[in-house]
Amino acid sequence: MSTTNAPDRLTGRAWAVLLVLCGAIFLEGIDISMMGVALPSIRAELGLTTSELQWVVSAYVLGYGGFVLLGGRAADLLGRRRMFVGWLTVFLVFSGLGGLATEGWMLIVARFITGVAAGFMTPAGLSIITTSYPEGRQRTKALLVYAGIAAAGFSLGMVVGGLLTSIDWRWVFFAPVVLAAVLLPAALVLLPREDSTSAEDAPRTARRFDVPGALILTAAMLLLVATVVRAPDVPKGQTLITLAGGLLLLTAFVQVERRSPAPLIRLGILRNAPLVRANLGAILLVGSFVGFQFIAVLYLQELRHWSELETGLALMVLGIDAVLAPTLTPWLVNRFGVGRVILGGFAVAVAAYALFLPLGADRTYLAMLPTFLLLGLAFALAYGPLTIAATNGVAEEEQGLASGVLTTSFQFGSALGLAAVAAVLAAFDELTHTGLRTALLVPLVAAVLGLLAGAPELARRTARV
């Protein structure tokens, strides 16, 4: 797709294509975060425990994270437009089925398949951007707008989720169906068609798919998350066994990738140090945020007895990242470089979580507001630049792979952060302020680790994009 003759500007059609892709990533972000506000209502109607409740979110992100690498590979070989449109349709269908669930297991299965659909759809969308807009200011602008919309969906979904849940929690599932139904015809009209002969002309081994690798990776992540969630409720020996099983599966995954003629991950790509650092940052950033969201919703709804609508409105200020990501963040990236902006985002996140620690029964909203504002700023600073860091310098034919690796990190981080928080809460007999304060240490420590991991190298990176 031709974007523009001017290196810094996008044409009207380029903006239209970007709008469709941003709509899909907004859908993905809002789908996850709307669920957070709806969880107490889902628990009340379907009779789920705290440990079972977290699987409503974890099933989605693990299906997403487990198949996103295969999705990136499929986008590179079968066509980005084809994968985007096809799996957006699957997303639409199973999101609707989730809203019709009458048992917890039915909802969890629907969420897993919806996550698998997102795992194929999202890397296709991101790789359309990275292959359609030339590297430099034009691609940076497109990626920052894309990431800003994703972050906005992630945060504003809590507000929308509160509004919809106040009507009926099932609308949290039906609303994405409506948005997907609008995006689908627009995608068919606007997304660029690709040369269908490129994959056919490739060597036969290059057209293979590493399905065993995807299954082993998904099983490993499921087992590791289950290990964390169940740790407070089972003997230590069983925890060690399942942990060892998860690590063995990861080892098996590496061996499969080494021997596969068409690996899910070309292990050599992991020698790209900026890509590895970006993915570690993605795990810590999103894991801490999702864990905090779970804590905040339980605190406001189940201990403070706020309504779903009040909770959504209280968390609305997190949506400040929708304004800051496309305005402030590009200027900061151009002025200070990607690495330092990411570092600043983690520093702000540490301050935000620390300020929320003294939560109590009489905590006013004004006392909570600084945390919400700072988290919106932290997400705006870190999310987009992490996307840039993970895709810059990667060959065009592996952009789908790089996008898939990054998305896997985001989703595994979400599941791991949520599982760790749920495990801490499960260690207490009932939901208390003490338990929530203890669980809050999980996102705080994750943000500190992100700060410490990035400080030595990222502070030295002064290159501008």
Side-chain angles (χ1 to χ4, degrees), residues 154 281-291 379 383 409-411 413-414 417:
F154 200 72
I283 291 171
L284 295 170
L285 176 72
V286 179
S288 63
F289 189 89
V290 171
F379 221 70
Y383 192 94
S409 296
F410 279 135
Q411 302 312 314
S414 298

Side-chain angles (χ1 to χ4, degrees), residues 56-202:
V56 175
V57 177
S58 292
Y60 176 91
V61 298
L62 288 171
Y64 193 153
F67 285 89
V68 73
L69 289 170
L70 188 61
R73 177 76 172 167
D76 288 336
L77 295 182
L78 297 181
R80 299 174 179 96
R81 180 181 184 273
R82 182 183 302 168
M83 289 293 100
F84 183 88
V85 170
W87 287 98
L88 177 59
T89 304
V90 177
F91 188 101
L92 183 157
V93 171
F94 279 90
S95 183
L97 290 176
L100 299 174
T102 56
E103 299 287 342
W105 70 266
M106 295 169 61
L107 178 57
I108 291 170
V109 169
R111 292 294 291 163
F112 181 78
I113 298 175
T114 306
V116 172
F120 281 87
M121 177 181 70
T122 303
L126 182 54
S127 60
I128 288 173
I129 292 178
T130 56
T131 56
S132 299
Y133 302 84
E135 187 169 342
R137 289 183 181 273
Q138 205 176 105
R139 184 185 297 177
T140 295
K141 185 174 186 178
L143 284 172
L144 287 173
V145 171
Y146 181 80
I149 296 299
F154 200 72
S155 54
L156 291 177
M158 287 179 276
V159 182
V160 177
L163 293 170
L164 294 176
T165 306
S166 65
I167 302 170
D168 191 320
W169 65 263
R170 295 181 186 277
W171 275 103
V172 168
F173 295 88
F174 297 146
V177 172
V178 176
L179 179 55
V182 172
L183 290 173
L184 193 56
L188 288 170
V189 172
L190 291 169
L191 294 188
R193 294 184 179 274
E194 298 159 305
D195 183 1
S196 61
T197 63
S198 58
E200 295 172 1
D201 294 339

